């Protein structure tokens, strides 16, 4: 069958099938189509990674995939109608519709005529003398909805990737206390809601945006011989919207806990019979930035009003809200919510530390604080099941600073309509904005930003003017977007177009050396020699392009790790690149890894490190064609943690893999690695 990949819609669900015991010749079966016997290839259809059984096979007929129409209604809630007079099948799902007439080369897809080729015409088919089934063309049926469909070469079968989670396993397993726990598994992160019905001791779990197919069925029941659970029932509760419902009937009231696992793909329900009272944990469902009583706030939506513990943490500055006795619906979330001194919000299910009992269920909400803000205080209010978090006033109260690629935007908000003055001192790399004090409310103070573009800003006042001073780390250009007299001041900023990155200094660190050989390859060659060879080539090529470079070692000598970081810091380097070779006990593993230390996990890092790591990885992969083994956080590595500037450690390949080891000690391949690193450096300088 030809390879194809198209973005298609819900009738895609028609073509799910797995192999069943039909008379076959080799890998083909005999099918009667309109009374004529033909030999066709049955195909298993892989939906979201899982093969689904149906009573009648889908098959490839003259390079076309035909599927049984009835499967849609049986498993996915679409309606299938049949007009015997015209021999037309109509498939509807919501406002989508497809009409297919037996032996006709015209289909009606969402009201439009579509011409089918002769091998894609709907046919009546029989297998093993069973009743006829209406078989329709996969491609044109799937044109009605919008899922990704393709051909899995490894499994030699079509596949579907839907926009919905597929609940594919519901089982009882033994927990740590030897009590049964219910485990619900799906193929992607899911969100769920629960309710406990006290009169009947039923725990109802509704999984949103999901289809269910467990043991090839969309409904079922598990009877248990258990002191806690009487039975478990599951079904496709709704198809529009798609909701999977799981009902646990308990034999008595008991404390239970629901937790998301495996990045939100799985739900585990466990029990504790130390209590004869049902304790239903609060559930944190979502976090949003909303207007509440005319003010912007961070709103935490849950199913009950929780108890919250708050604390401040440093390096970097952040406020922590621990929501007690709570479960997080879904997986870890991160939001770019900018509000006052808040620059982002993160939420996760927290594993208790020494401040809590091991049995505590805690959802931790972290408010990341903008650099330089020392007075980060919040006010917490409640409105029913909503927890409302207001940041109290700070220097950032009416100042917005946003970034999009190479362009930055400073906006001073909530002015009375006024005149103002903007001046830029290129020698000091300083913008000064003067505003009449009676026209603006800005809190005095200083904030350290240090994002590689803005160094710091400061607000000072006198009896006539409020002055905002913005200090930059490099020369800039600005465009005034607001009017001469306006109720806000907006500046579009970017790096000076005359800026030349070739003046930047790059430190090249050849890993290991001297008494420290590093890893030994499968051919007993030393990592330190590979590292130095690649580093010398990188130094040569960078200097040829006009970059300034410093090498931590250019001979076979031992250099202390802290000394390597000191060399970079003392030279005020712009970038730091450490070259290494990798190794693993599993000798089949090969590929490139890029290691970095997040700025949040170092006391001296000044800018986000990931963009540099990403640029290096992307370009090395392009140049070498190597396997991508990931961009990995390694805050424990001294040369990454103790360097102030953006720093990466390049694991060029695995010396433990025989094939890759030969490549790594090949001069031509080393130059490919060097080319990738240089292009990554150039890309980073262009974008930052």
């Amino acid at each position: 069958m030809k390879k194809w990949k198209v973005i298609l819609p819900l009738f895609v669900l028609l073509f799910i099938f797995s192999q069943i015991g039909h008379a076959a010749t080799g890998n083909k079966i005999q099918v009667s189509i309109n009374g004529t016997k033909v030999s066709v290839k049955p195909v298993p259809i892989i939906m979201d990674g899982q093969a689904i059984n149906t009573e009648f096979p889908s098959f490839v007929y003259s390079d076309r995939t035909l599927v049984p129409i009835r499967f849609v209604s049986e498993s996915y809630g679409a309606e299938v109608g049949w007009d015997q007079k015209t021999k037309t099948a109509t498939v509807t799902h919501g406002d989508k519709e497809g009409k297919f007439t037996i032996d006709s080369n015209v289909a009606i897809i969402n009201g439009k005529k579509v011409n089918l080729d002769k091998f894609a015409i709907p046919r009546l088919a029989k297998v093993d003398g069973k009743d006829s089934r209406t078989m329709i063309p996969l491609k044109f049926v799937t044109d009605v909805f919008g899922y990704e469909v393709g051909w899995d070469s490894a499994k030699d079968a079509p596949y579907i990737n839907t926009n919905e989670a597929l609940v594919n396993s519901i089982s009882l397993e033994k927990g740590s206390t030897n009590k049964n726990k219910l485990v619900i598994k799906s193929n992607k992160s899911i969100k769920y809601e629960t309710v406990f019905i006290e009169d009947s001791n039923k725990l109802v779990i509704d999984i949103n945006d999901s289809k269910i197919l467990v043991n090839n069925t969309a409904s079922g029941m598990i009877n248990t011989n258990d002191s806690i659970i009487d039975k478990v029932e599951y079904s496709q509760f709704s198809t529009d919207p798609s909701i999977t419902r799981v009902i646990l009937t308990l034999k008595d009231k008991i404390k239970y806990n629901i937790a998301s696992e495996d990045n939100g793909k799985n739900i585990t329900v466990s029990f504790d019979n130390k209590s004869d009272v049902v304790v239903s944990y609060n559930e944190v469902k979502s976090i949003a930035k909303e207007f509440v009583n005319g003010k912007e706030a961070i709103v935490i939506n849950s199913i009950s009003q929780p108890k919250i513990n708050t604390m401040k943490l440093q390096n970097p500055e952040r406020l922590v809200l621990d929501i007690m006795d709570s479960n997080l619906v879904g997986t870890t979330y991160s939001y770019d919510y900018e509000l006052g001194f808040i620059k982002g919000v993160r939420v996760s299910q927290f594993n208790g530390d020494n401040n809590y009992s091991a049995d505590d269920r805690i959802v931790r909400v972290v408010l990341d604080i903008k650099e330089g803000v020392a007075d980060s205080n919040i006010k917490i209010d409640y409105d029913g099941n909503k927890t409302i978090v207001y940041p109290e006033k700070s220097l950032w109260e009416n100042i917005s600073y946003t970034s999009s690629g190479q362009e930055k935007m400073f906006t001073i908000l909530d002015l009375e309509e006024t005149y103002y003055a903007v001046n830029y001192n290129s020698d000091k790399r300083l913008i000064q904005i003067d505003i009449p004090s009676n026209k603006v409310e800005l809190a005095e103070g200083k904030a350290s930003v240090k994002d590689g573009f803005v160094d710091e800003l400061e607000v000072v006042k006198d009896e006539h003017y409020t002055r905002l001073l913005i200090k930059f780390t490099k020369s800039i250009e600005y465009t005034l977007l607001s009017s001469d007299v306006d109720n806000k001041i907006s500046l579009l900023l970017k790096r000076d177009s005359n800026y030349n990155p070739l003046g930047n200094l790059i430190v090249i660190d050849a890993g290991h050396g001297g008494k420290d050989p590093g890893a030994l390859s499968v051919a007993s060659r030393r990592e330190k020699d590979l590292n130095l060879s690649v580093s010398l080539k990188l130094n040569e090529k960078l200097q040829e392009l006009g970059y300034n470079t410093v090498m931590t070692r250019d001979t076979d000598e031992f250099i202390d790790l802290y000394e390597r970081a000191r060399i970079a810091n003392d030279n005020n380097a712009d970038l730091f690149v450490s070259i290494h070779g990798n190794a693993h006990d599993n000798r089949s593993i090969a590929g490139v890894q890029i290691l970095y230390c997040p700025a949040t996990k170092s006391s001296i890092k000044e800018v986000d490190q990931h963009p540099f790591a990403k640029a290096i990885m992307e370009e090395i992969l392009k140049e070498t064609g190597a396997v991508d083994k990931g961009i990995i956080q390694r805050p424990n590595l001294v040369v990454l943690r103790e360097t102030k500037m953006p720093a990466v450690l390049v694991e060029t390949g695995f010396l433990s893999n025989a094939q890759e080891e030969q490549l790594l000690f090949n001069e031509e391949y080393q130059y490919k690695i060097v080319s990738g690193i240089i292009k990554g450096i150039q890309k980073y300088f262009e974008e930052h």
Side-chain angles (χ1 to χ4, degrees), residues 79 94 123 145 183 207 263 291 340 350 417 427 447 618 622:
E79 296 181 4
R123 305 291 189 184
F145 294 91
V183 180
I207 304 171
N263 292 321
F291 274 95
F350 178 62
E417 195 162 278
D427 293 334
E618 288 177 347
K622 289 178 185 177

Side-chain angles (χ1 to χ4, degrees), residues 26-46:
N27 64 343
K28 293 193 174 184
I29 60 174
Q30 295 296 316
V31 176
S32 177
I33 298 179
N34 287 4
T36 301
K37 286 189 176 182
V38 295
S39 180
V40 298
K41 177 185 176 182
V43 286
I45 311 298
I46 312 301

Side-chain angles (χ1 to χ4, degrees), residues 192-234:
Y192 62 91
E193 298 178 0
T194 66
V195 63
F196 187 81
I197 304 172
E198 299 214 19
D199 291 344
S200 55
N201 288 342
K202 291 183 185 293
L203 174 62
V204 180
I205 305 171
D206 281 346
I207 304 171
N208 298 319
D209 299 320
S210 70
K211 298 285 187 183
I212 182 170
L213 212 64
V214 175
N215 298 323
N216 302 311
T217 64
S219 63
M221 182 171 67
I222 304 172
N223 286 309
T224 68
N225 183 17
D226 186 89
S227 61
I228 298 173
I229 306 171
D230 181 37
K231 62 181 177 180
V232 179
E233 301 167 273
Y234 54 87

Side-chain angles (χ1 to χ4, degrees), residues 1-5 60 63-65 150-151:
M1 183 175 179
K2 294 179 179 178
K3 293 183 180 179
W4 46 266
K5 186 170 183 179
V60 176
D63 206 24
R64 303 292 186 274
T65 302
W151 185 263

Side-chain angles (χ1 to χ4, degrees), residues 37 101 131 138 342 426 486 547 580 602-603 613 658:
K37 286 189 176 182
T101 302
D131 291 340
L138 164 66
I342 299 171
S426 58
D486 212 326
Y547 286 98
H580 283 256
S602 168
S603 61

Side-chain angles (χ1 to χ4, degrees), residues 489-676:
I489 301 171
S490 295
L491 298 177
L492 182 66
L493 309 161
K494 62 181 181 180
R495 188 173 56 195
D496 190 336
S497 57
N498 294 319
Y499 166 73
N500 183 2
L502 295 181
N504 288 334
L505 174 65
I506 300 163
V507 169
I508 304 167
D509 174 48
H512 305 286
K515 65 181 181 180
D516 178 10
L520 286 180
S521 76
V522 289
S524 297
R525 292 190 275 197
R526 300 176 300 187
E527 181 195 347
K528 68 175 184 178
D529 299 329
L530 168 69
N531 300 341
L532 183 58
S533 178
V534 174
S535 296
L536 288 170
K537 290 179 176 64
L538 178 60
N539 184 63
E540 171 196 3
K541 292 299 181 183
L542 283 172
Q543 288 188 349
E544 285 179 3
L545 291 171
Y547 286 98
N548 298 315
T549 63
V550 170
M551 296 188 70
T552 58
R553 72 177 181 99
D554 56 11
T555 60
D556 183 17
E557 61 178 317
F558 175 79
I559 305 292
D560 179 78
L561 295 177
Y562 284 92
E563 174 65 11
R564 295 169 190 253
R566 186 198 63 76
I567 290 170
N569 292 336
D570 286 356
N571 281 281
N572 294 315
D574 294 283
L575 296 176
F576 179 93
V577 180
S578 187
I579 304 297
H580 283 256
N582 218 334
H584 198 280
D585 291 340
N586 183 346
R587 295 194 172 188
S588 67
I589 293 177
V592 175
Q593 287 182 332
I594 305 296
L595 313 182
Y596 76 102
C597 173
T600 57
K601 296 182 180 180
S602 168
S603 61
I604 65 171
K605 289 289 186 187
E606 297 181 345
V607 299
D608 185 6
Q609 306 286 295
H610 184 268
F612 184 39
K614 182 173 181 286
I616 294 293
M617 174 62 97
E618 288 177 347
E619 297 305 319
I620 289 181
L621 294 179
K622 289 178 185 177
E623 291 297 307
T624 64
V627 175
D628 182 350
K629 297 302 292 182
I631 300 173
I632 301 169
Q633 296 184 9
R634 289 292 297 274
N636 57 321
L637 297 182
V638 171
V639 294
L640 299 180
R641 186 188 66 231
E642 299 300 322
T643 43
K644 294 179 181 180
M645 70 293 307
V648 294
L649 189 150
V650 180
E651 296 279 16
T652 54
F654 282 79
L655 295 164
S656 49
N657 180 286
Q659 183 177 0
E660 192 157 70
E661 187 251 20
Q662 289 187 1
L663 280 175
L664 290 172
F665 283 93
N666 177 279
E667 292 278 312
E668 183 180 351
Y669 189 76
Q670 288 183 7
Y671 276 115
K672 288 182 179 180
I673 294 171
V674 165
S675 177

